Amino acid sequence: MLNKKSHFVFTFLAILLLLPLSFFSSTNAHKPLRRHLLSHESENYAVIFDAGSTGSRVHVFRFNENLELLPIGNDIEFFMATKPGLSSYADDPKAAANSLEPLLEGAEGAVPKELQSETPLELGATAGLRMLKGDAAEKILQAVRDLVKNESTFHTKDQWVSILDGTQEGSYMWVAINYLLGNLGKNYKSTTATIDLGGGSVQMAYAISKEHFANAPQNEDGEPYVQEKHLLANDYYLYVHSYLNYGQLAGRAEIFKASRNYSNPCALEGYDGYYSYGGVNYKVKAPSSGTSLKKCRALTRKALKISAPCNYKNCTFNGVWNGGGGAGSKTVHASSFFYDIGAQVGIVDSKFPSAIAKPIQYLNAAKVACKTKAADIKSVFPNAQDRDIPYLCIDLVYDYTLLVDGLGLNPYKDITVMHDVKYKNYLVGAAWPLGCAIDLVSSSPKKTRISSH
């Protein structure tokens, strides 16, 4: 028999041998749960679908606990696109929803399975669905909601699959740009104003003081011009307005409408054709007297309704309150068509994601474009896109007039015209989905969603 001392030693050795097995068994059994908890505490994902008129895109963003972007694979986001857009399936809602399946599968592959049930998914449809008649848009959106609910485990709500209104789009853009520039969390005086010139609308947004916010008026629909936001432990009072039908492509139509004639002084000499927008064809032909910069400017001011009655102390155009100005509007970042048109005429170099420009440069380029015949544009502006050549005069005049006469910028003011923003060692697209993602994953107890959902 073992004496007491030997028995104690034997028992002690047995415990030593068994403990590691028990430890590893216990660790493995709870490893998935532990990984889930740690990931959930330190990382957040957001899946954002941008359903545009020409195609659908999905963005997947990954954030740490400080709301800093983390890479997904070799890039700062997962991105995937497909064509055509949802509006191309106006008569077949199910086919519209099914067109998103590859994007949904791609997003599922980018987000760890154990996090998908707590990863928010939002789809914002823009110009394409807005233009559909009757209940076609709503039927497509419902089919998309059914697809997401039945074929994915992402966290979503019916109201998160919707048509994005211009105010939401403008707010998201302001958040995205200021986030990428490192301005969020700072005093509003350190933020930049954003002007996003899309095809159908243009959005302007900037932060104003609390004092201005207290006296801010409502728009003609009774909705506030200013939104109160809490982002990265700071309160912001965000002036946002979306000018529907005043985007680059819609603006052309407004100017052709304003001429009310067979010919238009903004049309390049030598071009005789039609411009189609919103289901309407507009005749595009220069008058016998030729293209006229002066007359084109006057027509553009008329289309923008620069002289419309203003019921506030200061207005931009078409009777819209301008937000009152202030420190939050001192610096300006302009995006989308401002960059695209600028790149075609040498205002910006498309090899670079952004450039410093002045509004007057658009007018100077217009002076050249408007006196050049359509057939000769390529010899003057070799980067001009064929589809835009007939409208280069009108586009440049419109961009200058919008910035200076419409939004009140000094012609010689430095603005940043951008396509992408450098963030750490990556280039991130200047677009609203990132702002939407930041809003969705914000963990602040005082969090206020930017959208009205």
Side-chain angles (χ1 to χ4, degrees):
M1 288 183 65
L2 296 170
N3 59 33
K4 286 185 177 181
K5 184 175 181 181
S6 299
H7 181 77
F8 173 79
V9 171
F10 177 81
T11 303
F12 180 71
L13 288 172
I15 291 172
L16 282 178
L17 287 169
L18 290 171
L19 264 177
L21 292 173
S22 174
F23 173 78
F24 286 119
S25 174
S26 173
T27 301
N28 288 332
H30 295 286
K31 190 174 181 180
L33 175 62
R34 184 172 180 271
R35 184 171 68 247
H36 173 85
L37 291 174
L38 288 176
S39 296
H40 182 70
E41 290 172 1
S42 62
E43 294 181 8
N44 288 284
Y45 287 79
V47 177
I48 311 297
F49 281 82
D50 174 7
S53 56
T54 59
S56 298
R57 298 161 283 274
V58 66
H59 302 256
V60 181
F61 300 101
R62 175 182 170 223
F63 302 89
N64 65 14
E65 66 273 17
N66 296 320
L67 214 60
E68 296 173 326
L69 274 175
L70 298 174
I72 298 177
N74 296 322
D75 212 337
I76 198 64
E77 65 170 309
F78 172 82
F79 175 79
M80 192 173 173
T82 186
K83 291 183 178 182
L86 295 181
S87 57
S88 298
Y89 304 93
D91 298 323
D92 193 346
K94 187 170 176 58
N98 289 343
S99 72
L100 300 179
E101 281 189 325
L103 305 186
L104 191 59
E105 290 173 5
E108 288 172 341
V111 179
K113 284 187 177 180
E114 65 269 19
L115 294 182
Q116 289 181 12
S117 64
E118 299 194 22
T119 294
L121 180 152
E122 183 159 334
L123 179 143
T126 53
L129 284 195
R130 289 182 193 142
M131 293 172 65
L132 292 185
K133 297 177 181 178
D135 60 354
E138 181 53 36
K139 286 182 177 178
I140 289 175
L141 291 174
Q142 188 55 52
V144 172
R145 294 178 190 122
D146 294 340
L147 173 77
V148 174
K149 281 182 182 178
N150 298 330
E151 298 193 25
S152 86
T153 57
F154 289 124
H155 174 55
T156 189
K157 298 178 181 178
D158 283 354
Q159 60 266 39
W160 289 2
V161 177
S162 63
I163 294 177
L164 198 70
D165 68 43
T167 301
Q168 290 171 307
E169 199 172 342
S171 299
Y172 288 149
M173 178 61 93
W174 183 89
V175 172
I177 300 307
N178 280 281
Y179 170 87
L180 292 170
L181 295 173
N183 296 337
L184 285 192
K186 298 179 181 178
N187 186 281
Y188 85 97
K189 295 178 181 179
S190 299
T191 62
T192 185
T194 57
I195 305 174
D196 184 32
L197 180 59
S201 60
V202 58
Q203 287 84 34
M204 184 178 189
Y206 65 90
I208 65 174
S209 68
K210 189 173 184 179
E211 291 71 30
H212 272 137
F213 166 67
N215 298 309
Q218 294 182 331
N219 64 24
E220 58 184 16
D221 297 323
E223 298 173 350
Y225 273 109
V226 183
Q227 303 173 6
E228 188 176 3
K229 307 300 170 195
H230 187 84
L231 297 161
L232 268 64
N234 244 39
D235 289 321
Y236 294 101
Y237 306 96
L238 192 61
Y239 164 81
V240 190
H241 190 77
S242 177
Y243 301 84
L244 188 61
N245 296 323
Y246 288 103
Q248 189 81 68
L249 306 182
R252 293 175 185 171
E254 292 298 316
I255 293 170
F256 292 137
K257 254 190 268 185
S259 67
R260 296 181 181 178
N261 291 320
Y262 181 74
S263 60
N264 187 287
C266 301
L268 291 184
E269 281 190 66
Y271 181 79
D272 187 349
Y274 288 88
Y275 175 67
S276 180
Y277 185 81
V280 179
N281 293 320
Y282 301 92
K283 183 64 180 176
V284 183
K285 182 182 179 181
S288 57
S289 57
T291 307
S292 168
L293 176 69
K294 184 177 179 180
K295 291 179 180 178
C296 185
R297 279 268 290 141
L299 200 59
T300 302
R301 285 176 55 87
K302 180 181 177 182
L304 287 171
K305 299 180 176 66
I306 298 294
S307 301
C310 177
N311 296 322
Y312 313 102
K313 185 177 180 181
N314 292 296
C315 286
T316 51
F317 61 95
N318 199 19
V320 173
W321 182 54
N322 75 346
S329 63
K330 283 187 176 179
T331 61
V332 174
H333 282 69
S335 54
S336 299
F337 273 100
F338 286 121
Y339 182 96
D340 296 342
I341 298 299
Q344 294 187 49
V345 297
I347 295 173
V348 301
D349 187 339
S350 60
K351 294 177 183 176
F352 299 96
S354 64
I356 301 298
K358 303 176 192 296
I360 193 68
Q361 290 178 262
Y362 289 88
L363 181 61
N364 291 338
K367 290 176 181 178
V368 177
C370 295
K371 66 180 182 182
T372 304
K373 293 182 178 180
D376 300 328
I377 282 290
K378 277 281 193 180
S379 63
V380 181
F381 299 113
N383 294 324
Q385 301 293 313
D386 289 344
R387 66 178 181 274
D388 294 325
I389 285 176
Y391 317 109
L392 210 51
C393 172
I394 194 172
D395 286 347
L396 288 164
V397 169
Y398 184 75
D399 291 358
Y400 173 79
T401 307
L402 176 64
L403 288 171
V404 176
D405 301 82
L407 300 177
L409 271 62
N410 185 299
Y412 296 93
K413 178 182 178 63
D414 282 341
I415 62 175
T416 301
V417 179
M418 61 185 179
H419 182 271
D420 297 301
V421 181
K422 189 171 183 181
Y423 179 83
K424 298 180 179 178
N425 295 320
Y426 301 92
L427 286 177
V428 183
W432 67 264
L434 175 60
C436 179
I438 292 167
D439 181 46
L440 279 172
V441 303
S442 175
S443 56
S444 166
K446 286 180 67 179
K447 172 188 164 203
T448 301
R449 279 186 54 74
I450 290 174
S451 66
S452 58
H453 300 163

